[in-house]
Amino acid sequence: MQERAPSSRANAERDAIVGRDAEVERLSALAAGASGGGRVLLMSGATGMGKSVLLEHTARVAEEAGRRVLRASGRESERDLAFAGLHQLLRPVLAEAAHLPDRQRRALLGAFGVLPDAPDSLLTGIAVLTLLSQLAERAPLMVVLDDAQWIDSASADVLAFAARRLDDDPITLLAAVRDDDLGAPPVGVRDGGPSFDRRPGFDREFPTLVLPPLDHTASRRLLGLRAPGLTSRIRQRVLDQAAGNPLALLELAEHASLNPDEHGPLPVGRRLAAIYAARLAELPEAGRQALLLLAAADVEDPPDAVLALLPDADHKAWPAVEESGLIRRAGRHLRFRHPLVRSAIYHTAPFDARMEAHRKLADALRHEPDRRAWHLAAASLHPDAEVSAALEQTADRARRRGGYAAAAKALARAAELHPRRDDSARLLADAAGVAVFTGDLPWVEELAGRARARTDDPALLAAASLHVGRLSALTRQHAASFNYLAAIAGDLAATHPAIALDALAAAAVLRFYSGEESQRREIDRLLPHLPAGPLREWAQIVSDPFGGGRELAPLLLDRIAAAGGRFGSGNRGGAGGAGAGGRPERLTALAIAAWVLDETPLAVRAFDEAVQSWRTAGPLPDGLGGVVALAYFEYGRWDRAREVCAEIGALPAAAGLDHAVACACAIEAMVVAPQGDAAGARALADEALRLVDPLESRSVAVYAHRALTAAAMVEGDYEAAYEYARMVFDINGDPVHYHASYPALPELAESATRSGHHAEAIEIIECSARTLARGGSPRLRSLVHRSRALLAEPEHAEPAFLAALADPALERWPFERAQALLEYAEWLRRRRRIAEARPFLTAAYDTFRRLGAWPWSERAQAELRAAGLDIGSADPGAFAGLSPQQQQIVRLAARGLTNREIGERLFLSPRTVGSHLYRTFPKLGVTARSQLRDVVEAAAVDGPPD
């Protein structure tokens, strides 16, 4: 019979099965494969791993492929009823038994009690095989068994007999069995009987598809599809507790709101709770108490102080506890078999018993103040100032270690336990300020709202609102956020100037994002009413770098040198990290100011230290974090730029920080375009533009269009390049963004020269030159000279080229300087001044190769050859100098695997794979993936085993 391809409905269903692509592919092939030859597959997995969902999908694929499907599901209540499972399976086709040989028919019907004949297991097995073969003659057949571990042993024997003899028939058997990974007792322990997947010969004879836990990415996607309303804080708790079990993810997400305690486990749903409740009921009281103490302790390996509370090792309760399968025990090491076991034990215990367990643990952990504080909090039913103070101290310690989420949770719980409303409001406002550094906007809004509900103090109200506004800057609602922050600054300028200044500094970040001129005027209006100092200077630099900010540049070196002291007067974190607080925030703020003023080397030095400090606490969550990547890019550290983009791009999607993610995409696009990855650059730039409103996030829009310009130039499409570069300036030729647009001038000039837009480009460049003459940096004035040289008549271009290259300090921007060297050298060679051109060409070529700017290095190489210098490829032995991981990546890429496929094999992200490849290209002397095969073959290195 001709098979039909799976329909679009089956494809849609496959898309809905999250994290099981390989399993779905294998099962679909089993269901819709060739009609000749029988096949058997066992599918094994813990409770909740999705076996039934996969069975249902496979059955549908089989039916749509023209197969007949017979199904049965084991039931625990029928596991002692002989042939119950077989009867369930064959009942829809039992009429076909009339066509069996008489002895087989009587044996089969006798097994089902239809005839009085005594069951004969051999004849029954043959009858089942014959019946299935008869059915398969009309259409290929699939047998699907769910919960096969509960199928009665008589049915299991017959089915195993038939399964071993299906080779010559178009029959497929798929059986799902449950294993004990989730804390179920080992198979056979509870009733002594054998299990379907442990029968002699059955499990060894046929292949088994084991369903592992979902990985982190798939777990997050499943929650995003099925529980999109979870806050990122609760989402992370669900992910941690479920440990990749799909059913656990969904049940924990459904019941997450039932447990407001930040420290205790989330409650499991009724289905999973019932699995464990029966096991707990069978344990002696001492065993149940021991498990409750372990569940309340919430540690992987309990410390000695907790172990001392448990029964002695030789206590009679332990054998029963171990046989229950709920824990693993190796000497003094005790662990729950799965996080859900701990949750079920904790929540099935009576409330009073849980409180008593926490009190015992608090007493035992006197020398561990952080754990003691949380157990005291868990045991507190009423406000308690001492417990609140203990939690506040815990928060301070967590904050000093960079644990912002833990600190915010401790402060929030301390607020709940504080007996005075004003102090409670203060703690909640502090919690919101600390939570800013987690990037979790909904959580910050929740904490700030709770703080405002408990106080009338204008300072606390403003502080809480400021924290929300600071993180809101990373969303796409920049105009509303600016107005919100500017209103705080205006309202509190006279009464609370420190908070007002913090608010205005945060507003300056939004002015940078949006590029809106009216926002600069509002900041200029408010600044004179606020106290002088570094934070006010910072706001002025970010808001107006070519006006009043330029004169502040000489102060930056002293500010960064003194970064060990206080900077600014605001609350923790400050705008863009500009306020007082920890060293990373202070250094980040100063580095941002240095970068805005084109003091890039100074900015990079500060960023190096700040970023390293941030990494101990998590990603760069607020302010102008994206400019860290831009500074590294401009300074020639492109790999570092991509690493920072990856960290920012990993911010939780549920937090809605679209601008931050878009900024990372746009800047990474700017990096990969000159490396020759035009398609990757376009994809990243398009994603950035999709995430933001170009009028609210002009900076991101400009970075994206600059990346698209570079990508088009790499491909030689100068008409498209000019169109993109033209979008960086408005209809009047003014910059779309007061800071981000000007570095695109040379690309505008070159693409205009090559596409016939010469006159328009000259007008834009001269307009920019007039603005930059008043307050532009030497770097920007050099770019103007370079742009003029590219657009000048050939006989008049040299003075502008020389002016562009005159300042040796411009080597701080190596890519831009190498481009200028190449362009001048090309001009010299065309004037037949070849000897003069060669040193410029060599310097440019070396820089492009070091950066991995392959299209540019090829262009320089072609010019060198035209100038009489032959630049060969890298030493073929360079492959041996790569790290083992880089060699693996190069081998796999040479075989044609994509970055995603390589990542799956080597357990790396596609982005990491791409980063490795771009770092290896200059070492190997290649410019495209297609050349890697020759490199590998030349190195005579065998490929890795699959």
Side-chain angles (χ1 to χ4, degrees):
M1 179 177 180
Q2 180 92 21
E3 292 183 6
R4 298 193 300 272
S7 70
S8 59
R9 186 183 71 178
N11 291 332
E13 181 187 6
R14 171 177 175 169
D15 292 340
I17 299 175
V18 176
R20 300 292 190 204
D21 290 351
E23 291 86 351
V24 166
E25 183 175 355
R26 183 172 179 183
L27 292 170
S28 296
L30 182 75
S35 60
R39 295 178 227 169
V40 179
L41 181 65
L42 307 182
M43 181 165 55
S44 172
T47 302
M49 282 296 176
K51 298 183 296 298
S52 297
V53 172
L54 288 170
L55 288 180
E56 181 64 24
H57 162 80
T58 307
R60 289 185 182 178
V61 171
E63 288 171 343
E64 293 174 358
R67 280 156 166 67
R68 182 168 190 170
V69 178
L70 298 179
R71 309 187 200 198
S73 180
R75 298 185 177 96
E76 192 170 14
S77 61
E78 296 182 353
R79 64 184 308 171
D80 295 324
L81 298 178
F83 297 110
L86 190 62
H87 184 266
Q88 182 190 161
L89 180 72
L90 298 180
R91 189 176 65 172
V93 295
L94 203 52
E96 297 288 335
H99 304 293
L100 293 174
D102 186 62
R103 289 184 63 203
Q104 294 181 29
R105 179 182 62 81
R106 296 185 67 84
L108 181 60
L109 297 180
F112 295 155
V114 177
L115 294 178
D117 297 51
D120 182 319
S121 59
L122 178 59
L123 271 176
T124 303
I126 294 172
V128 169
L129 180 61
T130 304
L131 177 61
L132 295 178
S133 297
Q134 288 178 181
L135 292 170
E137 288 178 359
R138 302 173 199 165
L141 183 66
M142 184 163 205
V143 176
V144 176
L145 306 176
D146 199 1
D147 280 329
Q149 75 281 350
W150 285 330
I151 286 181
D152 61 278
S153 59
S155 297
D157 285 336
V158 169
L159 290 169
F161 174 88
R164 286 191 288 270
R165 292 162 175 80
L166 296 178
D167 291 342
D168 296 327
D169 295 286
I171 301 172
T172 303
L173 187 147
L174 175 61
V177 295
R178 181 181 300 180
D179 63 28
D180 60 351
D181 288 348
L182 258 184
V187 176
V189 166
R190 295 182 64 196
D191 59 6
S195 174
F196 186 87
D197 66 328
R198 296 296 190 270
R199 297 190 60 77
F202 199 94
D203 56 335
R204 299 189 188 98
E205 197 167 336
F206 300 109
T208 300
L209 174 63
V210 179
L211 297 184
L214 298 179
D215 62 25
H216 187 70
T217 300
S219 296
R220 292 189 70 89
R221 181 168 172 241
L222 180 60
L223 282 183
L225 291 172
R226 300 289 294 276
L230 291 182
T231 66
S232 59
R233 184 175 79 266
I234 295 295
R235 183 181 302 272
Q236 190 57 53
R237 293 179 67 196
V238 170
L239 290 168
D240 292 343
Q241 197 166 313
N245 183 284
L247 176 62
L249 284 165
L250 300 180
E251 289 215 357
L252 289 172
E254 182 180 354
H255 296 85
S257 61
L258 302 179
N259 185 55
D261 183 1
E262 291 283 358
H263 195 63
L266 294 168
V268 298
R270 287 174 295 179
R271 179 175 170 185
L272 289 174
I275 295 174
Y276 305 114
R279 313 240 167 85
L280 283 171
E282 297 174 359
L283 298 179
E285 178 62 23
R288 290 198 296 272
Q289 290 183 2
L291 290 179
L292 177 57
L293 280 167
L294 289 172
D298 189 21
V299 285
E300 188 72 13
D301 285 308
D304 290 343
V306 174
L307 293 175
L309 299 174
L310 305 179
D312 295 335
D314 57 355
H315 193 281
K316 63 181 181 180
W318 286 118
V321 171
E322 292 185 65
E323 287 181 6
S324 72
L326 296 172
I327 65 167
R328 291 187 177 98
R329 185 181 183 206
R332 294 176 58 82
H333 295 286
L334 294 166
R335 292 189 181 186
F336 290 110
R337 293 183 66 86
H338 190 279
L340 289 177
V341 177
R342 170 182 171 258
S343 177
I345 290 171
Y346 185 84
H347 285 285
T348 54
F351 180 78
D352 290 343
R354 297 205 301 266
M355 297 300 99
E356 180 60 24
H358 284 298
R359 282 190 286 268
K360 287 181 179 179
L361 289 165
D363 186 58
L365 295 168
R366 293 185 300 276
H367 302 298
E368 297 190 42
D370 293 341
R371 287 180 176 171
R372 179 176 182 272
W374 274 112
H375 285 299
L376 287 172
S380 298
L381 301 179
H382 306 288
D384 189 316
E386 290 184 7
V387 177
S388 177
L391 283 171
E392 190 172 2
Q393 292 169 5
T394 289
D396 286 339
R397 287 188 288 269
R399 184 162 37 203
R400 286 197 296 271
R401 296 191 300 268
Y404 294 110
K409 290 176 184 177
L411 287 168
R413 182 65 174 135
E416 293 174 358
L417 291 172
H418 206 291
R420 290 191 292 275
R421 286 180 62 83
D422 283 347
D423 285 311
S424 177
R426 171 186 59 81
L427 290 167
L428 284 168
D430 283 351
V434 175
V436 165
F437 297 102
T438 69
D440 189 343
L441 179 58
W443 190 20
V444 175
E445 290 175 329
E446 173 197 333
L447 293 168
R450 288 163 58 187
R452 288 192 291 262
R454 300 188 188 191
T455 184
D456 296 325
D457 185 332
L460 282 177
L461 291 171
S465 298
L466 175 57
H467 298 319
V468 174
R470 182 174 298 130
L471 197 52
S472 296
L474 295 183
T475 68
R476 63 177 74 192
Q477 304 300 323
H478 292 158
S481 297
F482 179 89
N483 294 336
Y484 180 77
L485 291 166
I488 293 175
D491 292 344
L492 298 182
T495 57
H496 297 85
I499 296 175
L501 191 53
D502 254 355
L504 198 63
V509 173
L510 289 160
R511 146 70 173 159
F512 187 93
Y513 288 161
S514 69
E516 175 58 48
E517 182 63 15
S518 64
Q519 294 178 359
R520 180 195 64 78
R521 293 193 294 270
E522 179 66 5
I523 290 172
D524 288 348
R525 183 184 72 80
L526 292 170
L527 276 176
H529 302 286
L530 298 172
L535 189 55
R536 176 172 153 176
E537 295 166 2
W538 187 91
Q540 189 170 3
I541 289 171
V542 170
S543 174
D544 189 16
F546 304 137
R550 168 55 52 186
E551 63 192 37
L552 300 173
L555 301 175
L556 284 175
L557 184 60
D558 292 338
R559 294 270 189 255
I560 291 177
R566 286 180 62 83
F567 175 66
S569 57
N571 297 317
R572 295 180 184 92
R583 188 179 179 84
E585 299 94 307
R586 201 160 52 244
L587 281 173
T588 301
L590 289 163
I592 287 168
W595 174 80
V596 168
L597 294 175
D598 276 334
E599 298 292 336
T600 305
L602 190 62
V604 166
R605 288 200 299 272
F607 278 142
D608 277 343
E609 184 175 349
V611 169
Q612 186 57 43
S613 299
W614 274 117
R615 283 198 174 115
T616 65
L620 293 161
D622 77 331
L624 293 171
V627 306
V628 180
L630 265 176
Y632 285 135
F633 170 62
E634 293 173 353
Y635 199 55
R637 293 168 63 177
W638 291 3
D639 288 342
R640 193 68 177 275
R642 294 188 70 181
E643 289 172 8
V644 174
C645 287
E647 292 175 7
I648 298 172
L651 286 168
L657 307 183
D658 291 340
H659 177 88
V661 176
C663 188
C665 288
I667 295 169
E668 186 172 6
M670 292 175 65
V671 180
V672 303
Q675 291 180 319
D677 186 4
R682 281 195 297 272
L684 287 164
D686 289 344
E687 176 66 6
L689 293 171
R690 183 188 70 80
L691 287 170
V692 298
D693 178 346
L695 295 179
E696 297 245 344
S697 299
R698 290 185 179 91
S699 58
V700 168
V702 167
Y703 297 144
H705 287 128
R706 284 171 56 185
L708 292 169
T709 301
M713 292 179 70
V714 161
E715 295 179 326
D717 187 350
Y718 289 98
E719 183 65 40
Y722 182 77
E723 290 178 7
Y724 287 127
R726 185 63 184 82
M727 296 173 74
V728 174
F729 298 87
D730 67 19
I731 193 171
N732 299 317
D734 294 322
V736 167
H737 188 275
Y738 65 95
H739 186 273
S741 291
Y742 291 121
L745 288 171
E747 283 71 30
L748 178 80
E750 182 172 6
S751 60
T753 298
R754 293 173 181 255
S755 62
H757 299 280
H758 193 275
E760 184 181 42
I762 288 178
E763 290 183 10
I764 293 173
I765 286 162
E766 293 308 318
C767 176
S768 297
R770 289 190 291 273
T771 300
L772 296 175
R774 297 190 295 271
S777 66
R779 172 207 176 194
L780 293 179
R781 290 195 291 271
S782 170
L783 294 179
V784 169
H785 289 308
R786 180 180 151 205
S787 303
R788 284 169 166 166
L790 291 169
L791 289 166
E793 294 297 327
E795 62 271 19
H796 302 305
E798 187 167 25
F801 275 127
L802 293 175
L805 294 167
D807 190 344
L810 298 177
E811 293 179 357
R812 300 166 176 176
W813 295 271
F815 183 54
E816 292 175 359
R817 183 167 178 82
Q819 289 175 302
L821 289 170
L822 174 61
E823 290 157 356
Y824 181 40
E826 289 173 332
W827 182 88
L828 287 171
R829 191 183 65 77
R830 293 188 183 97
R831 309 267 77 73
R832 301 186 182 279
R833 295 160 59 179
I834 294 175
E836 295 177 67
R838 285 172 178 168
F840 296 118
L841 288 171
T842 302
Y845 176 73
D846 289 343
T847 299
F848 292 141
R849 283 185 58 81
R850 176 177 63 80
L851 295 174
W854 302 116
W856 290 89
S857 65
E858 288 177 344
R859 177 172 159 182
Q861 188 177 39
E863 285 291 327
L864 281 165
R865 287 174 178 154
L869 295 177
D870 187 20
I871 302 297
S873 299
D875 182 356
F879 183 86
L882 302 180
S883 70
Q885 185 181 65
Q886 288 174 331
Q887 289 183 6
Q888 281 185 299
I889 291 171
V890 169
R891 288 190 192 105
L892 294 171
R895 289 163 55 183
L897 274 69
T898 65
N899 288 0
R900 181 173 299 280
E901 291 168 337
I902 296 171
E904 289 173 354
R905 291 202 179 197
L906 302 183
F907 304 102
L908 301 171
S909 72
R911 184 171 290 182
T912 301
V913 172
S915 180
H916 276 298
L917 284 173
Y918 283 118
R919 282 199 293 269
T920 60
F921 275 25
K923 299 176 184 177
L924 299 175
V926 301
T927 60
R929 294 171 81 104
S930 59
Q931 298 171 280
L932 292 178
R933 181 176 179 180
D934 294 336
V935 171
V936 173
E937 290 178 352
V941 178
D942 293 331
D946 287 338

